[in-house]
Amino acid sequence: STIRKKKKMSSSVSPSHNVFVYGSFQEPAVVGFILECTPVIVSAQLHGFHRYRLKGRLHPCIAPFETGVINGKVLTGLTDAQLENLDMIEGDEYERKTVEVVLTDTLEKMEVEAFIWANKDDPDMYGEWDFEEWKRLHMEKFIEASKKFIEWKKNPNGKTREEFAKFVNEDPPKKKMSSSVSPSHNVFVYGSFQEPAVVGLILECTPVIVSAQLHGLRVIVDVAVTGTDSKGVKGRLHPCIAPFETGVINGKVLTGLTDAQLENLDMIEGDEYERKTVEVVLTDTLEKMEVEAFIWANKDDPDMYGEWDFEEWKRLHMEKFIEASKKFIEWKKNPNGKTREEFAKFVNEDPPVA
């Protein structure tokens, strides 16, 4: 591939440009602001490259990767001015090169331009960027950033491109609030509360949820033995975590919870868990973050065993947990003389059928 240099136009008609995009510019609402119109967009695949996450940024990059395949879009028929907008917004860290893509609908090959990360050995590249996750978590911020970019381009007013760039970087960790404002809470969850349908009922809204890892602990299945053989074992549907030197737990951080929402989690977890401050690593950015987590109070509990499986829980028990979450909220709003134990029975394994 060769870097496309801008050429002087020899005729009175400017050529149009076709550009392969693979990140936020796949979203018409974003590209519409950047180009000040929405072009005809077609689906395509680019072979021989991989789409990476970038540490500390909300946008991805691509770099050569022999067996890689990237699903993306081609923005067709762009003017010189629109291509200039893309050049400016991508900046010097990307090189615009000519590549060959395969159109998804027709399987025809097409030469297009694409923005490729200039430093193919950049240590900040990692993993796989996820378009659907980006739409869910960051699209709103990118649309705002796109508006700012167009405002800046029309009226720089002494500001540099860096004023725009800050809008597309990951937010830094929030500072502690002043005493006059109730602080928000970030809570690492590793069991049923990873499921938005469950946590949405418990918190009575679905918070912003980000992926994270917790090191030095392990997710364990917790059971209460009530008999002398395997048929007499009555277990719970939820796990616990306890210290384990080489353990790594993949989970989620529920961000920005209110005091009342944290109280709901405290009540549902009960006295068997202790809420402690731990440090997690955010999956997207590899940044460290102090959060709270519910840890099993009795770290030597003989009823702990094995490894809890989130996918198995979703398949077998999620429906029951959603029902339990509804019961919990009903009970909290109107206890009517009942104790928390009335709720607890919903999250235990069903007893053996006689």
Side-chain angles (χ1 to χ4, degrees), residues 61-74:
C61 69
I62 62 173
F65 187 77
E66 190 176 350
T67 58
V69 179
I70 299 170
N71 292 306
K73 306 287 185 183
V74 176

Side-chain angles (χ1 to χ4, degrees), residues 117-165:
W117 200 240
N119 180 6
K120 64 183 178 62
D121 302 312
D122 192 332
D124 285 346
M125 300 190 306
Y126 72 101
E128 174 77 29
W129 190 82
D130 187 318
F131 182 48
E132 294 303 318
E133 181 185 78
W134 173 88
K135 284 201 293 186
R136 194 172 68 251
L137 299 179
H138 307 303
M139 184 170 76
E140 190 175 335
K141 182 174 183 179
F142 257 73
I143 290 172
E144 184 63 29
S146 302
K147 293 177 185 176
K148 296 282 186 187
F149 172 76
I150 292 301
E151 289 169 9
W152 164 76
K153 188 168 184 284
K154 290 179 175 175
N155 181 26
N157 199 24
K159 294 180 180 177
T160 65
R161 182 185 170 279
E162 281 61 43
E163 291 293 315
F164 162 75

